[in-house]
Amino acid sequence: MSGLFITMEGTDGAGKSTQLDLLNKYLKDKGFNVVFVREPGGTKISEKIRNIILDIDNKEMHYMTEAFLYASSRTQLVNEVIIPELKKGSVVICDRFVDSSIVYQGIARNLGVEVVRKINNIATGGLIPDITFFLDLSPDKAIERKKEQKELDRLEREKSQFYNKVYEGYKMLIEEEGERIKVIDATQSIEVIHNNIVNYLENLFF
Ligand code: TYD
């Protein structure tokens, strides 16, 4: 495949959305055909699945159901958007991908990394991002930032213990896949974070 597949990961509240907007704009200004999608979501069907997952009414949802729903949403996104766009040579930016499932479902929800990997290998056909940025913000700071927002979705209502596990999960994943996952200190200014991201891309790909 000739395109470039970039994903962004982070604990809730790490400032992912701001950085994704800036990255999107930067790549478009460079003249790339950029396709930006978010997970869970990014297609009509995947957005419907997203609504089921994040609905605060669905308190009884089994963790394995949740894992399968994320994977289903992902299958649709990979086949409907990501692979066709990469084949056309586009730069695809994805807000979260398989790493989120490994960490949130596999580690924080305790389903096990291997089970979640297996489901996701089937879901994605083994597609791996060319590069992943992890916006690194400690759980305490992430929760502080969260409190400033009014509406919290179902997952965001989880206890701080959950955020700690998510953070530890990312750290474990980074130890295993440090080559692909680039860690960015998310306590830096918006501009400095953006420059870090751009520097990695320019050094590795452009
Ligand atoms: P979202 O509103 O997109 O939050 P954020 O801005 O933090 O990305 O909600 C996504 C939530 O879903 C977030 O709490 C992380 C979680 N999630 C999983 O648990 N597993 C996954 O595979 C994905 C993609 C997200």
Side-chain angles (χ1 to χ4, degrees), residues 30-77:
K30 278 211 124 195
F32 291 105
N33 185 38
V34 185
V35 175
F36 171 66
V37 283
R38 68 167 180 182
E39 279 229 315
T43 71
K44 189 183 73 188
I45 293 169
S46 307
E47 290 291 332
K48 287 184 177 174
I49 299 171
R50 175 188 178 89
N51 290 338
I52 300 172
I53 299 171
L54 299 182
D55 189 342
I56 51 171
D57 239 19
N58 290 338
K59 291 184 191 68
E60 67 275 45
M61 189 182 289
H62 193 283
Y63 292 162
M64 195 53 101
T65 308
E66 186 183 86
F68 277 120
L69 286 174
Y70 278 117
S72 307
S73 161
R74 191 162 290 137
T75 301
Q76 191 63 32
L77 182 65

Side-chain angles (χ1 to χ4, degrees), residues 167-186:
Y167 189 68
E168 294 308 314
Y170 273 118
K171 293 278 154 161
M172 269 174 55
L173 202 60
I174 288 157
E175 264 179 42
E176 285 168 22
E177 296 198 64
E179 203 36 39
R180 170 176 62 88
I181 307 174
K182 307 299 178 197
V183 181
I184 311 282
D185 176 359

Side-chain angles (χ1 to χ4, degrees), residues 18 21 36 44 46 52 65 74-75 107 111 120 125 130-132 145 149-151 165 176 191 206:
T18 308
D21 284 349
F36 171 66
K44 189 183 73 188
S46 307
I52 300 172
T65 308
R74 191 162 290 137
T75 301
I107 297 170
L111 291 179
N120 277 280
D130 295 301
I131 187 164
T132 298
R145 285 193 191 177
Q149 294 173 15
K150 285 178 198 137
E151 288 251 354
K165 278 198 198 168
E176 285 168 22
E191 199 188 356
F206 309 142

Side-chain angles (χ1 to χ4, degrees), residues 8-14 16-17 20 38-41 50 53-54 66-67 70-71 73-74 95-105 109 116 120 146 149 153-156 162-163 166 170:
M8 183 105 58
E9 297 283 341
T11 45
D12 298 36
K16 230 169 7 78
S17 308
L20 285 163
R38 68 167 180 182
E39 279 229 315
R50 175 188 178 89
I53 299 171
L54 299 182
E66 186 183 86
Y70 278 117
S73 161
R74 191 162 290 137
D95 181 356
R96 300 190 179 279
F97 197 58
V98 173
D99 296 329
S100 282
S101 279
I102 302 286
V103 169
Y104 282 80
Q105 281 65 56
R109 298 289 203 210
V116 177
N120 277 280
K146 265 284 101 131
Q149 294 173 15
D153 66 42
R154 188 174 65 85
L155 291 178
E156 286 165 346
F162 181 77
Y163 288 107
V166 167
Y170 273 118

Side-chain angles (χ1 to χ4, degrees), residues 4 26 30 131 133 182 195-206:
L4 184 66
Y26 161 83
K30 278 211 124 195
I131 187 164
F133 295 105
K182 307 299 178 197
N195 287 340
N196 286 350
I197 292 172
V198 164
N199 283 343
Y200 271 120
L201 291 175
E202 291 194 338
N203 289 336
L204 291 169
F205 303 108
F206 309 142

